[in-house]
Amino acid sequence: MPVLSTRITSINGGGSDGWDVFNRARAMIAAGIDVTELTIGEHDIRTDPAILNAMHASALNGHTGYAAVPGTNALRDAVATRLTRQTGVATNRDNVLITPGGQAALFAAHVAACSAGDTALFVDPFYATYPGSIRAAGAIPQAITTRARDRFLPQRDALALAAIGAASLLINTPNNPTGTVYPRETLDDIATVVRDHDLWLISDEVYDTQVWDGSHISPRALPRMAERTLVIGSMSKSHAMTGSRLGWIVAPEAVITPLIDLATNTTYGVPGYIQDAALFALEQGSTLEEAVAAPFRRRRMLAQQILGAQSVVGQIPSQGAMYVMLDIRATALSGESFANALLDTHHIAVMPGESFGASAAGHVRVALTVADDALAQALGTLCEFAAERATAR
Ligand code: PMP
């Protein structure tokens, strides 16, 4: 067999891809074991039938041929309107590229921002695919570490140091895996650094409808930031449409135009009936979004109550997204050992913090994606397990 490209063989960076506990949990479930699955950011509800009806009607009406590569005008307009409302920055369809999910948008954004071999910064802890997406785009990922005591928010000095010679910075608010929502001060620091060092800012905002405390601020809204910010959005989390693969990039027209060339030569767009379903969903305003967010809002309160009643497991204050990040350092176990042991002894699957980067060592991420009573029971067991391990030290 001929040799595969280094581009493709290096996507995972050589080490574990961080999904070991998840894969073990899936294998146990396949073997018939009852596992409480708190690993992945997948809703426990399905796409609203009204959205599926719109999808079906569109397909029956014949929107099954090649769709416009940048996205339909109507959907690009709807996304532009959404961004104008969120940011106050005039946004029109020429600022929007529709992509097959936020994941494809992350890849495309880095292709636009980075030449081969450029340094692309991202904040650790991070959504598991970030370094791989950057490598797949031909750039070199470089993590900016953060600390639990700073709620994993990037600090200005670390940002400024890393920015020297870099091409782009990727941020994510509301954040997966930490559940933090970047405050205005953090975003101001980020904006200052990327302007001073002439970087692109890639802003992953796929959890923008899931904010429990404070409010979501898009850096596109900050002074002189629209010209250097690529906003990543998606219908996956906001409308429980993970399987429909519908996302977008909002950026200056001078960025979107060449990104359309990339789409023409890679994805060739997104199915028209999926786009029509997304348009229908966005036209419903916040009603559907709030219905999708409500269980996570409720379960995050529940988690705070359960965790607040004990003192072994710490919690990073969660303000958004469908996760809580727990500090299990009192057990002296790594996040990975803790997650593996919890899976083996109690059939509860959580993600090791280390799966999201070295900064989250000694932590585990819990997805709030099971029914309230199952979540309460699992968190209670997790806390008891942590207490046993802490006293056994
Ligand atoms: N960004 C973050 C932070 C995510 O958590 C996810 C999915 N878990 C994505 C992007 C990609 O989502 P999708 O491709 O489904 O839009």
Side-chain angles (χ1 to χ4, degrees):
M1 187 169 94
V3 179
L4 284 165
S5 76
T6 47
R7 168 88 61 97
I8 199 155
T9 52
S10 64
I11 286 179
N12 284 340
S16 149
D17 64 1
W19 293 98
D20 301 347
V21 178
F22 169 79
N23 290 333
R24 284 190 56 226
R26 285 287 150 112
M28 286 166 74
I29 293 167
I33 299 170
D34 186 15
V35 175
T36 307
E37 240 286 48
L38 305 171
T39 54
I40 194 177
E42 175 89 64
H43 313 63
D44 52 328
I45 54 159
R46 301 285 85 174
T47 308
D48 192 293
I51 300 177
L52 298 178
N53 283 338
M55 197 183 288
H56 190 214
S58 167
L60 284 178
N61 279 335
H63 206 171
T64 54
Y66 291 122
V69 171
T72 63
N73 283 341
L75 183 58
R76 293 173 86 196
D77 287 346
V79 172
T81 304
R82 183 183 170 95
L83 264 287
T84 306
R85 186 168 31 80
Q86 278 181 349
T87 60
V89 177
T91 306
N92 63 50
R93 75 172 66 136
D94 296 323
N95 300 118
V96 181
L97 173 73
I98 303 299
T99 62
Q103 188 60 59
L106 281 164
F107 169 75
H110 283 95
V111 173
C114 301
S115 293
D118 277 355
T119 298
L121 305 174
F122 62 102
V123 180
D124 179 338
F126 53 88
Y127 173 51
T129 67
Y130 282 0
S133 301
I134 290 169
R135 287 190 203 97
I140 316 278
Q142 185 184 321
I144 298 175
T145 53
T146 59
R147 292 174 304 203
R149 67 168 182 273
D150 297 326
R151 295 194 297 125
F152 295 117
L153 295 170
Q155 303 297 300
R156 186 167 174 162
D157 291 352
L159 287 165
L161 196 64
I164 300 164
S168 64
L169 168 64
L170 169 59
I171 62 166
N172 172 221
T173 180
N175 190 271
N176 175 14
T178 65
T180 49
V181 173
Y182 283 17
R184 175 75 197 226
E185 309 81 74
T186 300
L187 290 166
D188 282 340
D189 284 348
I190 289 168
T192 304
V193 169
V194 299
R195 279 193 308 250
D196 285 355
H197 293 269
D198 201 20
L199 265 54
W200 293 104
L201 181 63
I202 300 174
S203 178
D204 180 344
E205 304 180 21
V206 303
Y207 293 98
D208 61 352
T209 61
Q210 299 180 0
V211 179
W212 327 129
D213 268 348
S215 52
H216 170 66
I217 304 170
S218 169
R220 182 171 163 84
L222 302 184
R224 292 180 289 119
M225 285 303 291
E227 66 200 51
R228 62 177 67 248
T229 304
L230 286 71
V231 175
I232 308 293
S234 171
M235 298 297 285
S236 287
K237 311 294 175 176
S238 59
H239 292 80
M241 290 180 71
T242 50
S244 289
R245 313 309 305 132
L246 192 299
W248 55 79
I249 301 178
V250 173
E253 187 178 348
V255 176
I256 295 299
T257 305
L259 276 171
I260 296 171
D261 294 336
L262 178 68
T264 301
N265 292 287
T266 53
T267 61
Y268 213 79
V270 175
Y273 50 93
I274 305 271
Q275 295 196 59
D276 287 346
L279 175 63
F280 168 84
L282 290 177
E283 283 173 350
Q284 308 312 300
S286 56
T287 325
L288 286 175
E289 294 170 5
E290 275 162 21
V292 172
F296 303 122
R297 184 188 297 279
R298 205 176 56 230
R299 291 172 195 159
R300 173 264 195 175
M301 290 281 284
L302 185 64
Q304 282 183 334
Q305 279 162 15
I306 294 167
L307 292 155
Q310 54 81 60
S311 55
V312 176
V313 178
Q315 45 178 333
I316 304 299
S318 154
Q319 303 156 306
M322 47 173 80
Y323 313 99
V324 289
M325 187 71 130
L326 305 182
D327 181 346
I328 50 93
R329 285 177 289 181
T331 64
L333 295 173
S334 68
E336 208 164 286
S337 306
F338 184 92
N340 274 309
L342 187 67
L343 180 60
D344 289 333
T345 54
H346 295 289
H347 300 166
I348 296 169
V350 297
M351 287 295 276
E354 293 85 359
S355 294
F356 308 103
S359 297
H363 289 71
V364 294
R365 187 196 73 173
V366 174
L368 305 171
T369 48
V370 295
D372 298 26
D373 49 353
L375 177 71
Q377 201 173 355
L379 284 175
T381 307
L382 182 151
C383 291
E384 281 166 24
F385 175 75
E388 283 159 24
R389 291 300 167 124
T391 46
R393 282 175 69 183

